[in-house]
Amino acid sequence: MASLTFNHLNKQFGSVKAVDNLNFEVKNGEFICLLGPSGCGKSTALRMIAGFEEPSSGDILMDGKSIIALPPNKRPTAMVFQKYTLWPHMTVYKNIAFGLQLRGLEKKVVEDKVHSALDLVGLKGYEKRLPAQLSGGQQQRVAIARALVLEPQILLLDEPFSSLDAHLRVRLREELKSIQRSLGITTIFVTHDQEEALSLADRIAVMSSGQVEQYDSPDIIYAKPSSLFVAGFIGSMTLLEAENKGSELKLGNYTLPSSEIVKGKDVKVALRPEDILLADANGWAAKVSQVMNLGPFYSLVLAIEGLGSVKALFPKTSLLKEHDQINVLPNRYLIYHEDGVEEITL
Amino acid sequence: MTFLRRLAKDPFGIVIFIALFLFIIGPMISVVLWAFSIQWRYPSLLPTEWGLKFWAQTFKRADILQALPLTLMISFIVTIVSAIICLPAAYAFARIKFRGSQFFLLSFLATNAFPRFGLYITIAVIFLKLNLISTILGVVLIQLVNTLLFMIWIPTAAFKGVDKSLEEAALDVGASRFRVFWQITLPQVIPAISAALLLTFVGTFYETQGAILIGLPGIRTMPVLMLSLINNQLVVQYGAILSLTLWIPSLILLLFARRVLSGKTLAAGFGV
């Protein structure tokens, strides 16, 4: 177990800045997700920790000591790759034992460790199989066992579940989280799936074009995205144009309370669907233009005159149908202005 | 049976089938018949006397007893030397990005794309000055030229086909670069490399142009000997028996290569 620090880390491929001045810290035992669209530099950052890419400048510290001079085979990290990179000519046992045997451990010790690793990922009895005889999910479990058996200081995962089907992805996600919790291993998980990041991470680093846009707990990232990019990337969000009138905002024919901190004339108001509530006749007049059944909830699209479409989430007991006329009001919203973001709760 | 039935419905197909059969299989049948005949005179359709008499005679001939081990030795040397030169080159082509790598890779086609005899004659002139004519070394060198193409292309394709992340995963668990190559990369390409080795060996075994031009008169390999036996001998059986025997290596190659080699493996070398 170890802590990890990125210190002004840069990586340039030709004229492209893949990673741009990365500066953040991962605490001992923490589960971190690097989240962002493809090409945002999250995988490059991970590969620099593993040693497969050399930083153009900056440093990576593990427990305060720089590791960038170490070749990948000398780093106390273990990586799980996106494709199941099991060695096809080796059995499951040999795949997991390979790294242990390199360390010159006794045969009996290797055997015990391999068995308990397989036990951990729920694949007892699969020792003699070849990778080609396993399903995708099983192969990725073996890859996780192969990484964990070495008891690395830091576990790195590069979109490990992205090629699995949805059900399996959720199951392996839960398994990974419980394994991580029981071992207390510092983990860095790269993904483009915001749901995966929200459900797994202690903290999420949302990345865009090589930079970290926000580094916070999933709760804060969800409740108060620090930029419009993060707001658009995490969860569902309705963005409305508004005019700043000092103590209040003007949205079409309606007004909402504002704060004196809000700067500039044109601002954006961001609304989470679950923060839209039914209101009395003073609320915004809305027409239900679409109803989607999400199981426990209805996801609604509301057409509000002068404002546009607003997404809302109502319990099924609301019994709303398309073309219903209702009144709504937000009880919480974010104002993105020149100097940042302001949260207002009514 | 379904093949014949389908053929019966198509008279044009039958004509082509019979023509092809006669053209390809006909000469082979004739060779086989000659090899097992003692007497076969015009106008009889089949040999008038069968027997293995000439087999014993053929393999008692001093020139054949000398040529067989010599040819095997030369083929072995050429294959091994070719592997030593070409396999590292193939790994470099597959794994190291350098300017003009595609051009160099294609340049090996040059020796196969132009009439080889012209090239050989130029080389023979040089070899004459170096006293390499009619020596084993001379024959080995000239035959190496032929082997470069397959010995580089096939392994290059195979090395390129190995997923880089397999190697990274091995590095990640602590293997040294050398161990990664030895225990991860190499096992994936062994089938393709053995195919290339076999192809090289068999190709060298049958090579005649270079062997004639550089080897004669001192060095006489099996196929060269066979040519002279077919051309200058009154006894047809010697040539027939020899060519039948010389089919064996290519038969082995055919059986093996079908399993290992496909157009895909070769195309992969060019990232197709």
Side-chain angles (χ1 to χ4, degrees), chain B residues 175-208:
Chain B
S176 63
R177 298 253 170 209
F178 176 75
R179 192 179 283 276
V180 171
F181 177 78
W182 197 246
Q183 284 193 284
I184 306 297
T185 315
L186 204 57
Q188 324 283 333
V189 296
I190 288 260
I193 286 182
S194 22
L197 287 173
L198 200 61
L199 212 60
T200 301
F201 184 85
V202 172
T204 308
F205 192 84
Y206 288 124
E207 204 277 341
T208 51

mmCIF file of all heavy atoms in Angstrom, chain B residues 175-208:
data_model
loop_
_atom_site.group_PDB
_atom_site.id
_atom_site.type_symbol
_atom_site.label_atom_id
_atom_site.label_comp_id
_atom_site.label_asym_id
_atom_site.label_seq_id
_atom_site.Cartn_x
_atom_site.Cartn_y
_atom_site.Cartn_z
ATOM 1 N N ALA B 175 9.033 -9.295 -15.329
ATOM 2 C CA ALA B 175 9.948 -10.015 -16.207
ATOM 3 C C ALA B 175 10.899 -9.042 -16.894
ATOM 4 O O ALA B 175 10.513 -7.926 -17.224
ATOM 5 C CB ALA B 175 9.162 -10.794 -17.249
ATOM 6 N N SER B 176 12.147 -9.480 -17.098
ATOM 7 C CA SER B 176 13.099 -8.647 -17.824
ATOM 8 C C SER B 176 12.747 -8.680 -19.305
ATOM 9 O O SER B 176 12.007 -9.555 -19.757
ATOM 10 C CB SER B 176 14.516 -9.174 -17.629
ATOM 11 O OG SER B 176 14.609 -10.483 -18.172
ATOM 12 N N ARG B 177 13.298 -7.713 -20.054
ATOM 13 C CA ARG B 177 13.009 -7.656 -21.495
ATOM 14 C C ARG B 177 13.354 -8.971 -22.177
ATOM 15 O O ARG B 177 12.638 -9.450 -23.042
ATOM 16 C CB ARG B 177 13.830 -6.537 -22.160
ATOM 17 C CG ARG B 177 13.504 -5.175 -21.638
ATOM 18 C CD ARG B 177 12.704 -4.363 -22.647
ATOM 19 N NE ARG B 177 12.216 -3.139 -22.007
ATOM 20 C CZ ARG B 177 11.105 -2.520 -22.348
ATOM 21 N NH1 ARG B 177 10.367 -3.006 -23.313
ATOM 22 N NH2 ARG B 177 10.731 -1.436 -21.731
ATOM 23 N N PHE B 178 14.508 -9.538 -21.805
ATOM 24 C CA PHE B 178 14.947 -10.781 -22.423
ATOM 25 C C PHE B 178 13.967 -11.909 -22.118
ATOM 26 O O PHE B 178 13.588 -12.676 -22.983
ATOM 27 C CB PHE B 178 16.350 -11.149 -21.920
ATOM 28 C CG PHE B 178 16.826 -12.472 -22.447
ATOM 29 C CD1 PHE B 178 17.242 -12.582 -23.761
ATOM 30 C CD2 PHE B 178 16.835 -13.596 -21.646
ATOM 31 C CE1 PHE B 178 17.667 -13.799 -24.269
ATOM 32 C CE2 PHE B 178 17.258 -14.817 -22.137
ATOM 33 C CZ PHE B 178 17.675 -14.915 -23.449
ATOM 34 N N ARG B 179 13.532 -11.987 -20.856
ATOM 35 C CA ARG B 179 12.602 -13.036 -20.463
ATOM 36 C C ARG B 179 11.253 -12.867 -21.160
ATOM 37 O O ARG B 179 10.620 -13.845 -21.558
ATOM 38 C CB ARG B 179 12.408 -13.035 -18.954
ATOM 39 C CG ARG B 179 11.698 -14.272 -18.446
ATOM 40 C CD ARG B 179 11.549 -14.221 -16.952
ATOM 41 N NE ARG B 179 12.773 -14.540 -16.248
ATOM 42 C CZ ARG B 179 13.164 -15.789 -15.988
ATOM 43 N NH1 ARG B 179 12.444 -16.808 -16.388
ATOM 44 N NH2 ARG B 179 14.268 -16.004 -15.327
ATOM 45 N N VAL B 180 10.830 -11.624 -21.321
ATOM 46 C CA VAL B 180 9.575 -11.363 -22.032
ATOM 47 C C VAL B 180 9.665 -11.916 -23.444
ATOM 48 O O VAL B 180 8.776 -12.625 -23.915
ATOM 49 C CB VAL B 180 9.269 -9.847 -22.083
ATOM 50 C CG1 VAL B 180 8.095 -9.586 -23.011
ATOM 51 C CG2 VAL B 180 8.966 -9.325 -20.696
ATOM 52 N N PHE B 181 10.802 -11.639 -24.115
ATOM 53 C CA PHE B 181 10.972 -12.144 -25.472
ATOM 54 C C PHE B 181 10.968 -13.671 -25.477
ATOM 55 O O PHE B 181 10.285 -14.304 -26.267
ATOM 56 C CB PHE B 181 12.280 -11.626 -26.065
ATOM 57 C CG PHE B 181 12.546 -12.164 -27.450
ATOM 58 C CD1 PHE B 181 11.884 -11.640 -28.547
ATOM 59 C CD2 PHE B 181 13.423 -13.216 -27.646
ATOM 60 C CE1 PHE B 181 12.098 -12.146 -29.806
ATOM 61 C CE2 PHE B 181 13.644 -13.739 -28.903
ATOM 62 C CZ PHE B 181 12.978 -13.201 -29.988
ATOM 63 N N TRP B 182 11.721 -14.244 -24.570
ATOM 64 C CA TRP B 182 11.943 -15.691 -24.554
ATOM 65 C C TRP B 182 10.695 -16.454 -24.156
ATOM 66 O O TRP B 182 10.372 -17.489 -24.734
ATOM 67 C CB TRP B 182 13.099 -15.983 -23.583
ATOM 68 C CG TRP B 182 13.692 -17.339 -23.768
ATOM 69 C CD1 TRP B 182 13.653 -18.366 -22.876
ATOM 70 C CD2 TRP B 182 14.412 -17.819 -24.904
ATOM 71 N NE1 TRP B 182 14.292 -19.448 -23.396
ATOM 72 C CE2 TRP B 182 14.774 -19.154 -24.643
ATOM 73 C CE3 TRP B 182 14.775 -17.254 -26.133
ATOM 74 C CZ2 TRP B 182 15.486 -19.929 -25.549
ATOM 75 C CZ3 TRP B 182 15.482 -18.036 -27.033
ATOM 76 C CH2 TRP B 182 15.826 -19.347 -26.746
ATOM 77 N N GLN B 183 9.959 -15.943 -23.153
ATOM 78 C CA GLN B 183 8.849 -16.733 -22.606
ATOM 79 C C GLN B 183 7.467 -16.291 -23.068
ATOM 80 O O GLN B 183 6.505 -17.030 -22.937
ATOM 81 C CB GLN B 183 8.917 -16.724 -21.074
ATOM 82 C CG GLN B 183 10.018 -17.646 -20.563
ATOM 83 C CD GLN B 183 9.892 -17.880 -19.081
ATOM 84 O OE1 GLN B 183 10.243 -16.998 -18.289
ATOM 85 N NE2 GLN B 183 9.397 -19.029 -18.689
ATOM 86 N N ILE B 184 7.377 -15.077 -23.568
ATOM 87 C CA ILE B 184 6.062 -14.590 -23.998
ATOM 88 C C ILE B 184 6.006 -14.432 -25.517
ATOM 89 O O ILE B 184 5.140 -15.004 -26.176
ATOM 90 C CB ILE B 184 5.722 -13.242 -23.320
ATOM 91 C CG1 ILE B 184 5.832 -13.347 -21.807
ATOM 92 C CG2 ILE B 184 4.339 -12.761 -23.751
ATOM 93 C CD1 ILE B 184 4.868 -14.318 -21.152
ATOM 94 N N THR B 185 6.938 -13.654 -26.093
ATOM 95 C CA THR B 185 6.859 -13.353 -27.519
ATOM 96 C C THR B 185 7.170 -14.582 -28.373
ATOM 97 O O THR B 185 6.396 -14.942 -29.263
ATOM 98 C CB THR B 185 7.837 -12.225 -27.871
ATOM 99 O OG1 THR B 185 7.733 -11.206 -26.890
ATOM 100 C CG2 THR B 185 7.528 -11.653 -29.231
ATOM 101 N N LEU B 186 8.303 -15.222 -28.079
ATOM 102 C CA LEU B 186 8.754 -16.320 -28.921
ATOM 103 C C LEU B 186 7.734 -17.470 -29.028
ATOM 104 O O LEU B 186 7.471 -17.949 -30.132
ATOM 105 C CB LEU B 186 10.117 -16.815 -28.419
ATOM 106 C CG LEU B 186 10.978 -17.523 -29.462
ATOM 107 C CD1 LEU B 186 11.210 -16.626 -30.663
ATOM 108 C CD2 LEU B 186 12.306 -17.951 -28.860
ATOM 109 N N PRO B 187 7.153 -17.918 -27.897
ATOM 110 C CA PRO B 187 6.191 -19.032 -28.018
ATOM 111 C C PRO B 187 5.028 -18.726 -28.965
ATOM 112 O O PRO B 187 4.484 -19.641 -29.580
ATOM 113 C CB PRO B 187 5.688 -19.218 -26.584
ATOM 114 C CG PRO B 187 6.782 -18.710 -25.740
ATOM 115 C CD PRO B 187 7.404 -17.571 -26.498
ATOM 116 N N GLN B 188 4.668 -17.435 -29.095
ATOM 117 C CA GLN B 188 3.552 -17.101 -29.990
ATOM 118 C C GLN B 188 3.948 -17.230 -31.462
ATOM 119 O O GLN B 188 3.095 -17.422 -32.315
ATOM 120 C CB GLN B 188 3.061 -15.659 -29.778
ATOM 121 C CG GLN B 188 3.079 -15.159 -28.373
ATOM 122 C CD GLN B 188 1.925 -15.698 -27.577
ATOM 123 O OE1 GLN B 188 0.890 -16.017 -28.136
ATOM 124 N NE2 GLN B 188 2.112 -15.821 -26.295
ATOM 125 N N VAL B 189 5.247 -17.068 -31.752
ATOM 126 C CA VAL B 189 5.649 -17.034 -33.156
ATOM 127 C C VAL B 189 6.332 -18.320 -33.605
ATOM 128 O O VAL B 189 6.689 -18.453 -34.771
ATOM 129 C CB VAL B 189 6.601 -15.834 -33.434
ATOM 130 C CG1 VAL B 189 5.879 -14.526 -33.201
ATOM 131 C CG2 VAL B 189 7.839 -15.912 -32.586
ATOM 132 N N ILE B 190 6.502 -19.267 -32.691
ATOM 133 C CA ILE B 190 7.187 -20.523 -33.039
ATOM 134 C C ILE B 190 6.570 -21.222 -34.259
ATOM 135 O O ILE B 190 7.288 -21.627 -35.161
ATOM 136 C CB ILE B 190 7.224 -21.474 -31.816
ATOM 137 C CG1 ILE B 190 8.222 -20.922 -30.809
ATOM 138 C CG2 ILE B 190 7.534 -22.902 -32.227
ATOM 139 C CD1 ILE B 190 9.568 -21.548 -30.808
ATOM 140 N N PRO B 191 5.246 -21.351 -34.337
ATOM 141 C CA PRO B 191 4.693 -22.042 -35.509
ATOM 142 C C PRO B 191 5.080 -21.360 -36.818
ATOM 143 O O PRO B 191 5.511 -22.024 -37.760
ATOM 144 C CB PRO B 191 3.176 -21.956 -35.297
ATOM 145 C CG PRO B 191 2.998 -21.723 -33.851
ATOM 146 C CD PRO B 191 4.192 -20.966 -33.385
ATOM 147 N N ALA B 192 4.976 -20.050 -36.848
ATOM 148 C CA ALA B 192 5.292 -19.324 -38.080
ATOM 149 C C ALA B 192 6.779 -19.437 -38.399
ATOM 150 O O ALA B 192 7.168 -19.595 -39.562
ATOM 151 C CB ALA B 192 4.893 -17.858 -37.956
ATOM 152 N N ILE B 193 7.625 -19.377 -37.357
ATOM 153 C CA ILE B 193 9.056 -19.467 -37.612
ATOM 154 C C ILE B 193 9.435 -20.858 -38.090
ATOM 155 O O ILE B 193 10.233 -21.011 -39.015
ATOM 156 C CB ILE B 193 9.853 -19.068 -36.348
ATOM 157 C CG1 ILE B 193 9.769 -17.561 -36.163
ATOM 158 C CG2 ILE B 193 11.309 -19.496 -36.475
ATOM 159 C CD1 ILE B 193 10.554 -17.036 -34.996
ATOM 160 N N SER B 194 8.811 -21.887 -37.515
ATOM 161 C CA SER B 194 9.155 -23.229 -38.014
ATOM 162 C C SER B 194 8.679 -23.401 -39.442
ATOM 163 O O SER B 194 9.336 -24.076 -40.238
ATOM 164 C CB SER B 194 8.619 -24.339 -37.109
ATOM 165 O OG SER B 194 7.567 -23.898 -36.330
ATOM 166 N N ALA B 195 7.577 -22.780 -39.795
ATOM 167 C CA ALA B 195 7.128 -22.839 -41.187
ATOM 168 C C ALA B 195 8.155 -22.174 -42.095
ATOM 169 O O ALA B 195 8.493 -22.701 -43.160
ATOM 170 C CB ALA B 195 5.777 -22.158 -41.337
ATOM 171 N N ALA B 196 8.656 -21.017 -41.655
ATOM 172 C CA ALA B 196 9.646 -20.313 -42.461
ATOM 173 C C ALA B 196 10.926 -21.140 -42.596
ATOM 174 O O ALA B 196 11.527 -21.194 -43.668
ATOM 175 C CB ALA B 196 9.955 -18.956 -41.837
ATOM 176 N N LEU B 197 11.327 -21.793 -41.509
ATOM 177 C CA LEU B 197 12.533 -22.628 -41.549
ATOM 178 C C LEU B 197 12.356 -23.773 -42.543
ATOM 179 O O LEU B 197 13.228 -24.048 -43.355
ATOM 180 C CB LEU B 197 12.836 -23.193 -40.151
ATOM 181 C CG LEU B 197 13.378 -22.213 -39.112
ATOM 182 C CD1 LEU B 197 13.471 -22.886 -37.752
ATOM 183 C CD2 LEU B 197 14.749 -21.695 -39.526
ATOM 184 N N LEU B 198 11.194 -24.399 -42.459
ATOM 185 C CA LEU B 198 10.929 -25.537 -43.337
ATOM 186 C C LEU B 198 10.887 -25.089 -44.801
ATOM 187 O O LEU B 198 11.445 -25.729 -45.689
ATOM 188 C CB LEU B 198 9.606 -26.187 -42.940
ATOM 189 C CG LEU B 198 9.408 -27.620 -43.412
ATOM 190 C CD1 LEU B 198 10.478 -28.509 -42.822
ATOM 191 C CD2 LEU B 198 8.037 -28.124 -43.008
ATOM 192 N N LEU B 199 10.221 -23.967 -45.021
ATOM 193 C CA LEU B 199 10.110 -23.410 -46.366
ATOM 194 C C LEU B 199 11.501 -23.114 -46.928
ATOM 195 O O LEU B 199 11.803 -23.410 -48.084
ATOM 196 C CB LEU B 199 9.303 -22.113 -46.289
ATOM 197 C CG LEU B 199 8.429 -21.734 -47.477
ATOM 198 C CD1 LEU B 199 7.400 -22.807 -47.725
ATOM 199 C CD2 LEU B 199 7.755 -20.404 -47.213
ATOM 200 N N THR B 200 12.345 -22.555 -46.082
ATOM 201 C CA THR B 200 13.706 -22.231 -46.493
ATOM 202 C C THR B 200 14.493 -23.494 -46.795
ATOM 203 O O THR B 200 15.181 -23.589 -47.811
ATOM 204 C CB THR B 200 14.408 -21.441 -45.370
ATOM 205 O OG1 THR B 200 13.655 -20.261 -45.128
ATOM 206 C CG2 THR B 200 15.823 -21.074 -45.755
ATOM 207 N N PHE B 201 14.355 -24.471 -45.907
ATOM 208 C CA PHE B 201 15.104 -25.718 -46.089
ATOM 209 C C PHE B 201 14.708 -26.394 -47.397
ATOM 210 O O PHE B 201 15.551 -26.753 -48.218
ATOM 211 C CB PHE B 201 14.849 -26.653 -44.902
ATOM 212 C CG PHE B 201 15.647 -27.918 -44.965
ATOM 213 C CD1 PHE B 201 16.948 -27.948 -44.489
ATOM 214 C CD2 PHE B 201 15.116 -29.066 -45.527
ATOM 215 C CE1 PHE B 201 17.695 -29.108 -44.558
ATOM 216 C CE2 PHE B 201 15.861 -30.237 -45.606
ATOM 217 C CZ PHE B 201 17.157 -30.247 -45.114
ATOM 218 N N VAL B 202 13.426 -26.547 -47.596
ATOM 219 C CA VAL B 202 12.945 -27.242 -48.787
ATOM 220 C C VAL B 202 13.284 -26.450 -50.047
ATOM 221 O O VAL B 202 13.737 -27.007 -51.052
ATOM 222 C CB VAL B 202 11.432 -27.505 -48.678
ATOM 223 C CG1 VAL B 202 10.890 -28.050 -49.978
ATOM 224 C CG2 VAL B 202 11.149 -28.466 -47.543
ATOM 225 N N GLY B 203 13.091 -25.134 -49.968
ATOM 226 C CA GLY B 203 13.399 -24.275 -51.114
ATOM 227 C C GLY B 203 14.860 -24.395 -51.505
ATOM 228 O O GLY B 203 15.197 -24.478 -52.695
ATOM 229 N N THR B 204 15.736 -24.426 -50.513
ATOM 230 C CA THR B 204 17.163 -24.546 -50.784
ATOM 231 C C THR B 204 17.493 -25.925 -51.346
ATOM 232 O O THR B 204 18.308 -26.072 -52.244
ATOM 233 C CB THR B 204 17.961 -24.323 -49.480
ATOM 234 O OG1 THR B 204 17.534 -23.111 -48.908
ATOM 235 C CG2 THR B 204 19.442 -24.256 -49.763
ATOM 236 N N PHE B 205 16.822 -26.918 -50.804
ATOM 237 C CA PHE B 205 17.054 -28.295 -51.240
ATOM 238 C C PHE B 205 16.775 -28.435 -52.741
ATOM 239 O O PHE B 205 17.485 -29.142 -53.453
ATOM 240 C CB PHE B 205 16.143 -29.238 -50.448
ATOM 241 C CG PHE B 205 16.471 -30.683 -50.600
ATOM 242 C CD1 PHE B 205 17.462 -31.267 -49.819
ATOM 243 C CD2 PHE B 205 15.806 -31.469 -51.527
ATOM 244 C CE1 PHE B 205 17.774 -32.609 -49.962
ATOM 245 C CE2 PHE B 205 16.113 -32.806 -51.678
ATOM 246 C CZ PHE B 205 17.090 -33.383 -50.892
ATOM 247 N N TYR B 206 15.765 -27.742 -53.237
ATOM 248 C CA TYR B 206 15.366 -27.879 -54.639
ATOM 249 C C TYR B 206 16.033 -26.871 -55.559
ATOM 250 O O TYR B 206 15.837 -26.917 -56.758
ATOM 251 C CB TYR B 206 13.845 -27.703 -54.778
ATOM 252 C CG TYR B 206 13.053 -28.858 -54.244
ATOM 253 C CD1 TYR B 206 12.076 -28.671 -53.284
ATOM 254 C CD2 TYR B 206 13.281 -30.141 -54.721
ATOM 255 C CE1 TYR B 206 11.352 -29.727 -52.795
ATOM 256 C CE2 TYR B 206 12.553 -31.211 -54.230
ATOM 257 C CZ TYR B 206 11.594 -30.993 -53.277
ATOM 258 O OH TYR B 206 10.886 -32.048 -52.807
ATOM 259 N N GLU B 207 16.766 -25.928 -54.995
ATOM 260 C CA GLU B 207 17.289 -24.827 -55.808
ATOM 261 C C GLU B 207 18.259 -25.347 -56.865
ATOM 262 O O GLU B 207 19.155 -26.142 -56.568
ATOM 263 C CB GLU B 207 17.976 -23.812 -54.879
ATOM 264 C CG GLU B 207 18.056 -22.408 -55.435
ATOM 265 C CD GLU B 207 19.222 -22.227 -56.372
ATOM 266 O OE1 GLU B 207 20.176 -23.032 -56.332
ATOM 267 O OE2 GLU B 207 19.166 -21.282 -57.172
ATOM 268 N N THR B 208 18.108 -24.903 -58.116
ATOM 269 C CA THR B 208 19.008 -25.388 -59.173
ATOM 270 C C THR B 208 19.834 -24.278 -59.825
ATOM 271 O O THR B 208 21.027 -24.454 -60.042
ATOM 272 C CB THR B 208 18.218 -26.095 -60.286
ATOM 273 O OG1 THR B 208 17.165 -25.241 -60.710
ATOM 274 C CG2 THR B 208 17.676 -27.420 -59.806
#
